[in-house]
Amino acid sequence: MEKQDYDGPILEIDKLSISFFTRLREIPAVMDFSATVMPGEALGLVGESGCGKSTVALGVMQDLGVNGRIVGGSIKFKGRDLNTMSQDELRDIRGSEIAMIYQEPMASLNPAMKIGKQLAEVPMIHEGVSEDEAMKRALEVVTDVKLPDPQRILKSYPHQLSGGQQQRIVIAMALMSKPSLLILDEPTTALDVTVEAAVVELVKDLGKKYGTSMLFISHNLGLVLETCDRICVMYSGEAVERGSIEDVFDKMQHPYTQALFRSIPLPGADKNARPLVAIPGNFPLPHERPQGCNFGPRCDYFEEGRCDADMSIPMEIIEGHDRHQSRCLKFKEIDWNAPIEVGEQKEKAAAGDVVLKMDNLKKYYEVAANALFGGGDKKVVKANETLSFEARESETLAIVGESGCGKSTFAKVLMGLETATDGQIILDNRSIGDTPIEDRDTKTVADVQMVFQNPFDTLNPSMTVGRQIIRALEIFGVGDSDADRKDRMLKLLDLVKLPRAFADRMPRQLSGGQKQRVGIARAFAGDARIVVADEPVSALDVSVQAAVTDLLMEIQREHKTTLLFISHDLSIVRYLSDRVMVMYLGHVVELGTTDQVFAPPYHPYTEALLSAVPIADTSVEKKHIVLEGDIPSAMNPPSGCPFQTRCRWKDKVAGGLCEKEVPAVRMMADGHQIKCHLSDDALAEMDQVIKIAAE
Amino acid sequence: MEPLTWTGNVGDFLNPIFWIAAVILLVSVIAQIILSFFAEEMTLQANPDGTLMRRGGLFGLVERLTKYSFFAVVLIVLAYIILGVVLPYGSVGIVGNMAKQFTPVWLALIATFALSITFKRSLGLYGKLFDSTVGMIGFGLVMFWVFTAGFAGMFDMLATHDPLQQISGLKNKLPGVPLPEGVEGYPHYLLGGDNLARDVFSRMVYGSVIVIAIAPLATVFAFMVGITLGLPAGYYGGRLDTILSFLANLILAFPVILLFYLLVTPEIVATGIPTFMATVLFIFPLVFFGVLINSRYHTQPTQRTIMLAVVLGVLGLLYLSLISQEGTVFNFMPAALDLFDISSGILVVFVSVVFVNSPTVFRIVRGLALDLRTRDYVAAAQTRGESSWYVMLWEILPNARGPLIVDFCLRIGYTTILLGTLGFFGLGLPPESPDWGSTINEGRKLLLIFVHPALPPALALLSLVLGLNLLADGLREESLKD
Amino acid sequence: MGLFILRRLGVMILTALCLTFIVFWLTNLYPNLEKLAKTQGNFRMSDEAVTSYLTNRGYTQSLPVKYGQWLGVLPGWEIEGSDGELRRRCEEGQNYCGVLQGYWGYSTVFKEDVSKIIATRLALTGKLMFWVLMVMVPGALIIGILAGMREGSKLDRSLSTFSIMTTATPEYVSGVVLIAVFATPLFGMQYFKGTATSAMDDANFQNFFLPVITIALYGMGYIARMTRASMTEVMTAQYIRTARLKGVKFRTIVIKHALRNALIAPFTVIMLQIPWLLNGVVIVETLFNYKGFGWTLVQAASNNDIELLLGVSVVSVFVVLLTQLISDIGYVFLNPRIRIS
């Protein structure tokens, strides 16, 4: 198909409404949504899960499945209405003019087809070129997305590539016929932070190079800040605010946008001095939306009789800004510059005695090299290598690292689900590293508990909430009678701020945040003294994250709990932890107080990690460091320093020492240790990665 | 007495309509299938009110034709049944009289459906079954035979004659044949007589009793065995899994018929091997319930002991009565305590059916356990120090129930087929037994001359198994909707 | 890959040994031997006569020894009987004569060498199976793919109803119904023959169609349902959406993107279905009086023809294991995700 020249808006969505139809009712997913994307412009679509942002994307692609239907409005692509196009016309546009990139790279590539063939298909369909020509084109694009050894990659199957490489292939596929519009649906959510940074960088560069307009869908405000020119914030099926990045980030005109920014940990937030402000209440389900303003029930500026009147609230233009609009009746009355009402300020709890001590802990696994065929060769995976640290009472120790760094293995060993290969875990002067959980006494088991990552998986779906907590009480030997335990269970629900009526509910009737609260209640059933929280909020929506984090902090403060907080999100780590331990491929590369770790000198990996985390604050300046390649597999670690394959400081160390020897642990300042070969001078040269511009 | 025709007087009027409707239905269904290849891809036509555009043209016409003719066929069939129940004897022919015989079953079915549909929202998965047409049809078919077996087995209702009674002169007589002058009883053999001059209809009714009694029970036992072994195999993995899986595959590699021929012969029964197998297989429910209760209540010892004593006591008594049998190696129970005896023929059939089914259940449970053991709630249970059996039985098993219930229905159907196979080869059950497999076996010998003795049990078996399959399909569909 | 096949072969041989031993043990239980003695000798034999009859023919040796001899890893017996006659298991000059040496024994029913019987009968059943597979596999795959490519469509529902009907109809039911409809004058559609005896020498459409379709129907529904399930799963996969949004035509999506992924599961099912077909073969051969392998099995089993039964068992067990092996290898071959890793 010939691509016509067109210089108006690439995409014009006007008053779009999309509904899904079930047997029982119509569920409106998107209502009255308008947006415009100009050539070369990148529009960010931000919102929590269920707000309809992906539905908009599928609506643009006209691929809503059997139950979904566009019930109003128009979607114009280069001036032509997509809604009225025939299937054939749509097919011509898909892939050649509009391309889409999805969240799960592995799932979006055909597992039984070679990469090259999948790529070459696009120009062969749309431009009718020969297979040779198409393959040549594929090779070019694969080189463009900076994949090593493109020839080999074209001949391989998707599963032979790593997640980051797969996502690059998906991007390459989208760019094969130089589309005018690229839709990215959470393209980096499944990737590790440092890989994500590289992919985002690539998308930005290629967008510029090909002059492609972008519709970037994400729940991460920081990522949108880094990639987009304009932003549209969605809440419960509606766009609530849209405008340029600067306007929306710095001069927001909608209470939801404001609340969203206040609930994410930005540099400067602190759990004691400047706690996060959680958005109260829950995200409404599509069929339970309130009258009037959808955000009304959770809004600080809610005015009865006005915000809940039975009328739809229009999008209003804000004078003096660049195409800035807000869906709020009161935006002109609200004082947007009023300082945050600072919540209760709390004393920093003093750290007590050492409760838990790891001493040269090692955990090796033996795995068959080839899972299916079994066979003789076994490989040793070194999941944890000489782990040593201490944790004190009421202290929060954050364990930071990307996939494969060994943080989950460490948690398993601590919990007693696995036993240590070497070294010791000392709990109150007793060594428990060799004691599997069956041999631990009830007290020890109750003392060390865990909060899990995935809220949809943490509770047994076929047991009531109350029953699950009571079971924990029973097994920890708490309470004398059933009545007593029931009473305690209700008190635990109070503790995690859930209504007592929830005791009789099944987990599926609870939202993600509520389930996570039940998980916390269960962990504290036996008055745990050490709680391992394995990414407890990473699967939750932004507005819920703050509330759950605060709850955890509050309980910790009251119970003087030692919290081991496992996370890959440095923003939240900086916000809540006292000390930070950075892990990479089973090694602790850096350990120190939060201030020490977040300020130079850094371990090169910490430096890259800090730079990779997107921060949703226009006043923050970050040093730009992009790591090459992917995280090596723990099955096949590099020789010498684990980080040497991706380290940008490697050539500062003489004699290729990095490739030969694992560096020793070096004490920098008081309690600050780094595992690196760099000389003191080189370390001292490092700059601050995150700078907050003077206001 | 006159011989009965198939539909009697009513048929003069209804039959032509029925055939016309049936032919239209058949033609339109075929036309629809052929047309659907050529019909254009469905385009989503959005109307402002959110309705779908109806597809017009030839395809739409055929679609409507199918619908109406289908309703017509259903209505006429209903008419045959209702008229049969209502009108006096003889005027509605064989079909009507059979419908009349089944009156208690119809009433029970209507009651079941009325109650279930009224309260379907508060009945969980069972209630949701009534949202799916397929599920309802399946459930209806299954319950038809369950009620038939119940009324026939417990109250001796429904059947017109004794299944073993031979009336001379009625050998291989066609359906609707009247009884000879002077013979007492129901005036006709509704579905004719078999080669020993017994009533085919009554044998079919009584055959359901044997199937409905054995098939679900044998499936339950197979599930007990499969679950008790499959859970640890999937949960622990390792060597235990290797050994158990090898054994399961060993049994699965045996051609079923060969196994039956080896196990279900009088010589093997005489050696006592089936009794030994019964002793082993039937202990699994005891183990299962014992572990189930213990793992859950071990934190409250008194409560646990009482419950264990009651449950194991009852099950133990049943178990001992089951395996202790006169004339076999195990005959130790005093007669006063021995609750029941099962004839060795039925026992060996039962045992071999359980034996053949268990490995498949084992594999399913093992697969589910492998999948579910990686869940966080399992890890949560482990980190609070629960015993492995608690994790398996209370954390994993309840969450595997969906696929297991579906498979349970399918497996009852499969067990029914296996029982039929045994009967078909004349294995296990006594030759005069009215079960469907044996009846088909007897009927097939003269199949090319007389079809009527073999067809009714064949169709009965077909409808029951079909019902179970549809039921499983409906359950699967509904359980996936959550 | 080579190692994998070797391991599978090892397990297979172990399984075969276990299974044949079980069959050997069951057929050599004393009541069975007693029956054998009485049918071969005379029915009013005294207990002592039975014992000496069995002892003279090596039946009273211990089970592992007998099994070893039958297998051909132990030297065959040579017994001077109580009647003074010297009997040998093997022919003169041979010490080892078991299955491994190709000596399968002698059938007491057919009065012929077991290996010969099995060869001829297996050939007949092979013919039947060939046609069954020719009808069943393409039929099932086409039905499954057509039904699964648009889930919930009219076509899907009609085909799914058909396949659920056939899975609910065991061979002895469909056989009876088909014979009643198509081989008797009852419904006026007497197109086929109700027996297939003549098909043993000269198979034609008239005498062979009913047995073939009877076996094929039962297996067909199951495979079709598996194919449909696999196809619907693939059609909702994200990479199909990727392909659709690349602008690929529906037909091309089905043929190029979905088919290969959708056929992985049914292939395994088809292979594992073959042991079940064996069941169908036994039923159908009995029903249609087609004297093939299944019919032989029934004859051997009901007449306690030990050697023949053992031979039949060995063959059927190997067929089952072989199909399992092929299914494993084929799975690996079809699924690129496993092949390389």
Side-chain angles (χ1 to χ4, degrees), chain B residues 307-347:
Chain B
M307 289 180 78
L308 270 185
V310 171
V311 172
L312 288 187
V314 172
L315 285 178
L317 186 64
L318 287 176
Y319 172 71
L320 292 176
S321 321
L322 194 66
I323 58 164
S324 155
Q325 215 126 111
E326 247 174 275
T328 64
V329 228
F330 294 102
N331 188 18
F332 47 83
M333 289 278 278
L337 277 178
D338 202 344
L339 297 175
F340 45 82
D341 267 327
I342 295 177
S343 81
S344 60
I346 299 225
L347 187 74

Side-chain angles (χ1 to χ4, degrees), chain A residues 216-247:
Chain A
F216 192 97
I217 296 168
S218 179
H219 65 280
N220 188 331
L221 284 165
L223 214 52
V224 171
L225 171 66
E226 284 183 8
T227 46
C228 298
D229 310 307
R230 300 182 60 76
I231 180 174
C232 174
V233 181
M234 286 186 79
Y235 182 78
S236 193
E238 290 176 326
V240 292
E241 182 168 4
R242 68 170 163 261
S244 67
I245 291 280
E246 294 77 27
D247 283 346

Side-chain angles (χ1 to χ4, degrees), chain A residues 151-168:
Chain A
Q151 287 286 6
R152 186 186 59 85
I153 288 207
L154 286 184
K155 290 198 188 76
S156 46
Y157 285 101
H159 67 274
Q160 293 166 297
L161 310 181
S162 70
Q165 289 175 326
Q166 285 169 356
Q167 194 56 300
R168 281 165 197 262

